[in-house]
């Protein structure tokens, strides 16, 4: 390369986050932390433990668990080119590739099997949170790197109480977050047997074939590949057609009917309000019985904040023993959008105390004061360079500080520190210990 060309390349260049990804910034990140903290707290009270699976896995794991026929697997996965990592043992097998996770249920089930969790007391209750990756067309509430908080219950008995308690936990979490206008929809999609869902799907296919001239391209294709997914259709002109199709509730086997009735009873027992939606389906064979979805206000067309369902066959499909399973995934980005929309989430990131110091001696005292106040749990801003008091107080209020601690030569000399309440401008003089006590008392009361 010529020197000239090298120079040209070194020219400063402005970079931007990739479309469909974004920086989460303060003060919004304070809200994210609060929501995640709430999840940790609520889930632990229901006996869940956190799992942190890796961000990438074998492509095949997702292909199997999510289903090759889904949009996610067929066109949305970030897969490394074959041979991308010459040092990867997994990749050295021809045909094997690695993929950034588009969801985490597959990883949780893989981990359950890999770590022999079936030997632990059952069921095993796990939750996770973190980024997922899908090559979707970006739009409001739809990102290519997005975040999910999810939970899975693996193993244990065939008990409708498990489904209901998981949903109860979810609704408790949303309530604690202050999410407005939540609506829980539930359904049962039976199980893959001739006298249950398979029989229903055959009837559905028949009914769809009769109206095929009125269906859009996607639905037409799905008559063969996955007729259940036609019920998901959002196309305006298909709505009237879908409403007239046979409904799964009329075709459930006795066991699945009993299970569904029991889930509803169990929800009522827990005071969880739900709505039934017979169109809530999942297209894969191992999904069975309970499916559910939660919508919230302020999200427009992408208003689902959470989807979940029972998947009793999945662990077995991934090479484990027959194991019951149910879980959900909350779209954290959408949860935040909805919280911000309803203003519940506005979290001004102010400071408890801004230390306005002047002079060398005052600076030494100020650094010690900052250390002690932070140790006591207060957020403290200590300006790194000396500012005139007027300027310092201006900064303090720009940073939405509650108090300004004024430390000048006088304060240091007589050990009486000046504390200014910025909301009303009042000032008082307090000795160091009394000041700490005072701050503790007022912050406990607010
Ligand atoms: P799924 O894993 O597809 O069942 O999605 C569960 C939840 O994750 C959805 O209800 C959404 O809230 C959220 N979600 C899914 N895909 C995206 C995306 N591309 N961007 C933001 N949130 C998403």
């Amino acid at each position: 390369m010529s020197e000239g060309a090298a120079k040209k390349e070194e020219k400063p260049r402005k970079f931007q986050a990739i479309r469909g990804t974004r920086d989460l910034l303060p003060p919004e990140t304070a809200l994210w932390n609060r929501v995640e903290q709430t999840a940790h707290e609520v889930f632990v009270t229901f006996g869940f433990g956190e799992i942190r699976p890796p961000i990438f896995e074998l492509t095949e794991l997702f292909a199997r668990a999510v289903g090759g026929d889904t949009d996610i697997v067929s066109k949305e996965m970030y897969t490394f080119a074959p041979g991308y990592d010459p040092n990867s043992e997994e990749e050295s097998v021809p045909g094997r590739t690695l993929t950034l996770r588009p969801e985490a249920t597959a990883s949780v089930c893989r981990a359950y099997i890999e770590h022999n969790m079936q030997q632990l007391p059952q069921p095993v209750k796990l939750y996770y949170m973190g980024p997922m990756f899908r090559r979707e067309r970006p739009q409001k509430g739809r990102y290519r790197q997005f975040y999910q908080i999810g939970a899975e219950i693996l193993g244990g008995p065939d008990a409708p109480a498990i489904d209901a308690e998981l949903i109860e936990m979810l609704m408790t979490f949303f309530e604690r977050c202050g999410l407005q206008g939540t609506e829980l929809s539930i359904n049962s999609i039976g199980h893959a047997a001739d006298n249950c869902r398979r029989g229903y799907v055959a009837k559905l296919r028949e009914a769809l074939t009769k109206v095929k001239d009125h269906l859009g391209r996607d639905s037409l294709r799905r008559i063969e590949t996955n007729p259940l997914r036609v019920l998901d259709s959002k196309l305006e002109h298909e709505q009237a057609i879908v409403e007239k199709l046979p409904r799964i509730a009329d075709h459930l086997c006795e066991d699945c009917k009993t299970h569904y009735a029991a889930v509803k009873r169990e929800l009522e027992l827990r005071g969880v309000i739900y709505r039934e939606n017979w169109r809530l389906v999942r297209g894969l064979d191992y999904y069975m019985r309970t499916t559910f979805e939660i919508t919230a206000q302020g999200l427009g067309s992408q208003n689902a904040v959470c989807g979940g369902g029972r998947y009793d066959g999945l662990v077995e499909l991934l090479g484990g023993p027959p194991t019951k399973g149910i879980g959900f995934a909350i779209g954290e980005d959408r949860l935040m959008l909805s919280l911000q929309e309803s203003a519940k989430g506005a979290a001004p990131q102010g400071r408890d105390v801004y230390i306005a110091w002047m002079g060398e001696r005052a600076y030494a005292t100020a650094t010690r004061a900052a250390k002690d106040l932070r140790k006591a749990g207060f957020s403290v801003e200590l300006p790194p360079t000396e500012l005139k008091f007027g300027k310092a107080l201006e900064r303090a209020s720009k940073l939405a500080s509650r108090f300004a601690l004024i430390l000048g030569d006088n304060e240091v000399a007589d050990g009486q520190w000046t504390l200014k309440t910025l909301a009303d401008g009042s000032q008082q003089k307090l000795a160091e210990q009394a000041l700490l006590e005072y701050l503790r008392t007022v912050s406990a009361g607010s």
Side-chain angles (χ1 to χ4, degrees), residues 134 136 141-143 146 148 282 304-307 329-331 333-334:
R134 295 184 197 171
E136 295 189 271
R142 192 167 278 285
Y143 306 97
F146 61 99
Q148 286 188 337
R282 304 243 152 185
V305 280
C306 176
I330 298 166
D333 309 75
R334 291 191 200 165

Side-chain angles (χ1 to χ4, degrees), residues 182-220:
T182 49
E183 263 191 35
L184 162 68
S185 306
I186 61 165
N187 191 23
S188 174
I189 54 167
H191 77 299
D194 286 345
N195 66 341
C196 200
R197 187 168 66 232
R198 206 170 290 137
Y200 166 70
V201 169
K203 289 215 167 60
L204 187 61
R205 192 171 270 138
E206 217 174 280
L208 285 169
T209 309
K210 281 189 193 141
V211 294
K212 71 177 194 309
D213 295 343
H214 306 285
L215 295 175
R217 242 194 21 226
D218 280 345
S219 295
L220 208 53

Side-chain angles (χ1 to χ4, degrees), residues 184-189 231-232 234 242-243 247-249 260 274-281 291-293 295:
L184 162 68
S185 306
I186 61 165
N187 191 23
S188 174
I189 54 167
L231 306 183
D232 268 349
K234 304 275 183 291
V242 172
E243 279 306 310
R247 301 187 172 203
I248 193 156
Y260 188 33
Y274 62 85
R275 190 163 72 82
E276 289 181 76
N277 177 5
W278 69 278
R279 291 176 57 176
L280 204 61
V281 292
T291 58
F292 53 95
E293 184 177 89
T295 54

Side-chain angles (χ1 to χ4, degrees), residues 13 17 19 44 54 62 83 142 159 195 230 293 299 431:
R13 177 178 163 194
R19 218 162 88 84
V44 163
F62 301 119
R142 192 167 278 285
N195 66 341
V230 177
E293 184 177 89
L299 294 174

Side-chain angles (χ1 to χ4, degrees), residues 326-348:
I326 183 166
F328 63 73
I330 298 166
E332 209 178 342
D333 309 75
R334 291 191 200 165
L335 173 57
M336 296 303 157
L337 268 177
S338 184
L339 287 173
Q340 282 163 333
E341 205 84 8
S342 57
K344 275 266 177 189

